[in-house]
């Protein structure tokens, strides 16, 4: 009788396990902002260790588009590689890679060292020149949630469309298993657009940044999600209201215990008045990763 019971228990357990869907889990990070998040590094300047496909890191890069465009946020999950910098675009089912890269390459490398037993995924949406404040949108675009630019579509809408398109794919690496994305952090590099033309945009930057980060956290399902922002820097009188924005960034991270800031940018060289050189983007990814890891450590010690 005991043997029969054990046999039936084994059969039932095996049956129930067979009914449970097999899943893969990815630690997910959102990368957002403007051109220095897009990336202006040249692929030809990469060392061999980075100038390759990172098969174990997946990325969905939403197509960057102007306010009013209908194709913002289109994308396709693919393995991370050089070419996700400025000039990258996607038609949805196909990615068209550029000759540029951003901070995502070294960020991925160092996050993999932190989470050696985890799979990593990035969702990225960045648009060069974009501002938080609608008064500074110009032809680059605005992230202001309530701003209804041309056709009632702005950068915040493109961001939401990026998330929607990324999340609707249930098997992001195509291995036949359902994938679960667990949001673990936000990386934000932006502010120059609010520091260039309208002083009130710079003065409102902290308020606008706080609102947007709160909303992005809500979209990712975690009100306390760790945030790393990159402090803007200046190659020399490029941003008339840059110091106001820099002070606002510092003030924001002081008030949000789950946020931190990368200040290394003040030491970076530039390839033009607005963008870091290739080495800068290599260093920026490392700085973002280190800041994130330190933030987690500080939160654990509280």
């Amino acid at each position: 009788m005991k043997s029969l019971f054990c046999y039936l228990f084994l059969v039932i357990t095996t049956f129930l396990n067979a009914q449970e869907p097999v899943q893969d889990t990815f630690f997910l990070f959102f990368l957002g902002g403007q051109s220095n998040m897009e990336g202006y590094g040249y692929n030809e300047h990469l060392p061999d260790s980075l100038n390759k496909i990172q098969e174990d890191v997946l990325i969905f890069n939403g197509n960057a588009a102007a306010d009013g465009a209908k194709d913002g946020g289109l994308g396709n999950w693919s393995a991370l590689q050089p070419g996700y910098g400025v000039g990258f675009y996607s038609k949805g089912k196909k990615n068209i890679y550029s000759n540029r890269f951003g901070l995502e390459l070294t960020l991925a490398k160092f996050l993999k060292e932190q989470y050696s037993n985890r799979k990593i995924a990035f969702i990225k949406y960045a648009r060069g020149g974009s501002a938080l404040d609608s008064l500074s949108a110009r032809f680059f675009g605005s992230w202001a949630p309530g701003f209804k630019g041309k056709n009632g579509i702005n950068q915040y809408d493109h961001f939401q469309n990026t998330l929607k398109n990324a999340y609707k794919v249930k098997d992001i690496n195509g291995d036949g298993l359902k994938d679960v994305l667990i949001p673990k952090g936000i990386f934000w590099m932006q502010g120059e657009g609010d520091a260039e033309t309208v002083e009130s945009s710079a003065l409102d930057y902290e308020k606008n940044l706080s609102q947007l980060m709160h909303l992005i956290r809500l979209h990712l399902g975690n009100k306390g999600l760790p945030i790393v922002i990159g402090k803007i820097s200046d190659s020399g009188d490029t941003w008339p209201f840059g110091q106001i924005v820099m002070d606002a960034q510092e003030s924001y991270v002081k008030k949000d215990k789950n946020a931190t800031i990368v200040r290394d940018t003040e030491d970076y060289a530039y390839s033009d008045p607005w963008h870091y050189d290739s080495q800068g983007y290599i260093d920026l990814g490392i700085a973002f990763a280190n800041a994130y890891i330190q933030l987690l450590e500080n939160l654990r010690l509280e």
Side-chain angles (χ1 to χ4, degrees), residues 169-287:
V169 179
K170 302 307 179 185
D171 178 12
I172 68 173
N173 59 356
D175 65 355
L177 302 178
K178 180 180 178 181
D179 296 321
V180 178
L181 304 178
I182 302 176
K184 299 296 288 186
I186 296 166
F187 298 101
W188 183 258
M189 186 70 230
Q190 187 275 337
E192 298 93 338
D194 294 89
E196 189 169 6
T197 58
V198 182
E199 185 177 17
S200 64
S201 295
L203 292 170
D204 287 339
Y205 189 80
E206 182 181 354
K207 177 190 70 176
N208 292 334
L209 179 64
S210 180
Q211 178 191 41
L212 182 61
M213 293 301 103
H214 172 70
L215 290 171
I216 292 177
R217 279 169 163 164
L218 290 182
H219 279 296
L220 293 171
N222 184 342
K223 293 189 289 186
L225 205 59
I227 294 174
V228 180
I229 67 171
K231 189 173 182 178
I232 68 168
S233 56
D234 201 333
S235 63
D237 299 324
T238 306
W239 319 116
F241 310 111
Q243 191 58 54
I244 298 175
V245 170
M246 288 182 237
D247 292 343
Q249 292 177 316
E250 292 282 1
S251 180
Y252 169 71
V253 299
K254 285 180 181 177
K255 295 174 183 176
D256 189 326
K257 71 171 187 176
N258 288 354
T260 191
I261 189 167
V262 167
R263 302 182 180 92
D264 301 45
T265 51
E266 64 184 6
D267 299 321
Y268 293 170
Y270 286 76
S271 60
D272 60 48
W274 307 278
H275 307 109
Y276 311 127
D277 65 4
S278 296
Q279 187 60 47
Y281 294 102
I282 292 173
D283 294 341
L284 190 58
I286 299 171

